[in-house]
Amino acid sequence: MIRRRAVQRSLLFLPGALVAPFPVAWSQTPALPSPIIDDLSDPAGLSALGTRWQLVTDQVMGGVSRGTLTRETVAGRPALVMRGNVRLENNGGFIQMALDLARPEAPGSGTLDARRWQGLEIDAYGARQSYSLHLRTTDLDRPWQSYRQEFSVKPEWQSLRLPFADFVPHRTETPLELSRLRRLGIVAIGRAFMADLALGGVRFYG
């Protein structure tokens, strides 16, 4: 099981507040040379970007949702599996897997330039539910802001494309600037339910 970070670090991973605290691997403008963000192939659990997925729940803000994040084989393929009980008490209501889009130890501006791509493609499997993919850029400085797009899963592997044009700003009027991506999160949010989502890969397309 992948451990949660300490509370003060975890606050950076709220669904609308995916704020990277570290410098990263790219300078301000270069585009990612490969479309692959993570194909779950690294035995050490690193993404293709050299970063690790983290589980965060609403307990960082007083909620009572609980979850786990594990590496498993699901329907014949490696997967990162998020399971948990999303509860709405104490103004909570989310669990999420979040990934920095840059390595913390490397110098740079902290951004990833994705302007050459049309969107994100994820391989997903799970009980029939809807989830949300959240993006965070350096333009957002409030913990509740993000760019969001919902998607639905079913108990078979699917490759789902989420066009950048369909991401909706959440509590911000700033347009999504693809040259300044910092973090993504895959989130079970907004209603009481049992989350069970397997991620088999995430990449850019276009």
Side-chain angles (χ1 to χ4, degrees), residues 20-58:
F22 303 114
V24 300
W26 294 279
S27 61
Q28 185 145 1
T29 57
L32 187 66
S34 166
I36 298 173
I37 296 173
D38 195 0
D39 60 6
L40 281 295
S41 64
D42 184 73
L46 292 175
S47 72
L49 308 178
T51 56
R52 293 184 184 276
W53 293 89
Q54 300 288 332
L55 174 74
V56 183
T57 77
D58 58 20

Side-chain angles (χ1 to χ4, degrees), residues 173-187:
E173 296 182 359
T174 303
L176 173 59
E177 177 49 67
L178 297 176
S179 68
R180 294 195 285 270
L181 294 184
R182 296 194 76 164
R183 185 167 296 171
L184 67 82
I186 296 177
V187 193

Side-chain angles (χ1 to χ4, degrees), residues 12-203:
L12 299 167
F13 289 89
L14 295 180
L18 302 178
V19 182
F22 303 114
V24 300
W26 294 279
S27 61
Q28 185 145 1
T29 57
L32 187 66
S34 166
I36 298 173
I37 296 173
D38 195 0
D39 60 6
L40 281 295
S41 64
D42 184 73
L46 292 175
S47 72
L49 308 178
T51 56
R52 293 184 184 276
W53 293 89
Q54 300 288 332
L55 174 74
V56 183
T57 77
D58 58 20
Q59 293 183 35
V60 299
M61 52 183 287
V64 295
S65 300
R66 295 181 178 275
T68 61
L69 189 60
T70 56
R71 297 250 170 184
E72 303 178 18
T73 299
V74 176
R77 62 182 296 178
L80 185 65
V81 182
M82 179 175 69
R83 297 188 181 94
N85 185 8
V86 181
R87 297 172 58 182
L88 304 181
E89 295 93 330
N90 298 343
N91 296 315
F94 75 86
I95 64 173
Q96 76 161 307
M97 58 175 91
L99 183 73
D100 284 332
L101 297 177
R103 296 189 298 273
E105 75 279 6
S109 68
T111 61
L112 184 156
D113 188 342
R115 286 176 293 180
R116 65 177 291 187
W117 311 109
Q118 295 181 15
L120 289 162
E121 184 174 63
I122 63 173
D123 300 326
Y125 180 110
R128 293 181 183 274
Q129 294 285 357
S130 62
Y131 296 88
S132 184
L133 197 152
H134 295 186
L135 295 174
R136 180 82 179 175
T137 73
T138 54
D139 292 324
L140 306 183
D141 57 8
R142 301 296 182 183
W144 47 81
Q145 296 173 314
S146 62
Y147 304 92
R148 304 181 175 189
Q149 185 172 164
E150 289 191 358
F151 62 93
S152 297
V153 300
K154 57 186 178 181
E156 63 182 59
W157 283 109
Q158 303 177 87
S159 293
L160 305 171
R161 288 191 167 186
L162 289 78
F164 288 131
D166 291 344
F167 278 84
V168 177
H170 179 74
R171 302 184 72 177
T172 179
E173 296 182 359
T174 303
L176 173 59
E177 177 49 67
L178 297 176
S179 68
R180 294 195 285 270
L181 294 184
R182 296 194 76 164
R183 185 167 296 171
L184 67 82
I186 296 177
V187 193
I189 189 171
R191 67 192 188 282
F193 75 107
M194 294 298 298
D196 188 352
L197 172 66
L199 177 70
V202 57
R203 55 199 165 270

